[in-house]
Amino acid sequence: LSGKLCCWVEGERGGAELLFDGVKKHQVTLPSQDEPWDVRNLLIWIRKNLLKERPELFIQGDSVRPGILVLINDADWELQGELDYQLQDQDSILFISTLHGG
């Protein structure tokens, strides 16, 4: 992939934004790399660059924690290939937490 990849990363529903220092929407520019960016690599990048606290509430292993819905361009990521989905320029990735404290 030549050049940089730009996408929107949102955590705007269900409290996921609290893990990102209260910021609901991030426009990110991912650095160039030899292999194409996929959601798996994006999650690693998010953990290093965007998560401000308690990454264990967002990431489990190499994926998102159960209870976090992921939408890629408004479609369930299960229909897109989940972790293997190759990001395209201007993709919108939305994380929705269905986990609530009690």
Side-chain angles (χ1 to χ4, degrees):
L1 180 69
S2 61
K4 294 182 178 180
L5 183 67
C6 185
C7 65
W8 293 93
V9 176
E10 300 179 51
E12 67 176 66
R13 299 187 190 119
E17 73 277 3
L18 299 176
L19 302 176
F20 296 91
D21 211 20
V23 178
K24 294 182 178 186
K25 192 170 192 174
H26 298 266
Q27 182 174 14
V28 300
T29 301
L30 300 170
S32 298
Q33 61 180 26
D34 292 336
E35 67 275 359
W37 278 93
D38 58 22
V39 174
R40 180 177 284 105
N41 290 327
L42 176 65
L43 289 175
I44 294 167
W45 187 91
I46 287 173
R47 183 177 195 151
K48 290 180 184 175
N49 295 282
L50 294 182
L51 279 174
K52 299 300 181 189
E53 59 181 72
R54 303 189 65 187
E56 70 278 3
L57 294 180
F58 184 73
I59 299 208
Q60 183 174 328
D62 67 349
S63 188
V64 293
R65 217 182 128 143
I68 296 180
L69 303 176
V70 182
L71 299 180
I72 299 171
N73 300 320
D74 297 322
D76 189 321
W77 77 326
E78 290 178 359
L79 303 173
Q80 308 285 349
E82 298 183 1
L83 293 170
D84 295 323
Y85 172 79
Q86 290 189 2
L87 298 172
Q88 305 298 313
D89 197 32
Q90 302 300 317
D91 272 348
S92 174
I93 313 297
L94 176 62
F95 299 98
I96 303 171
S97 175
T98 63
L99 306 173
H100 301 284

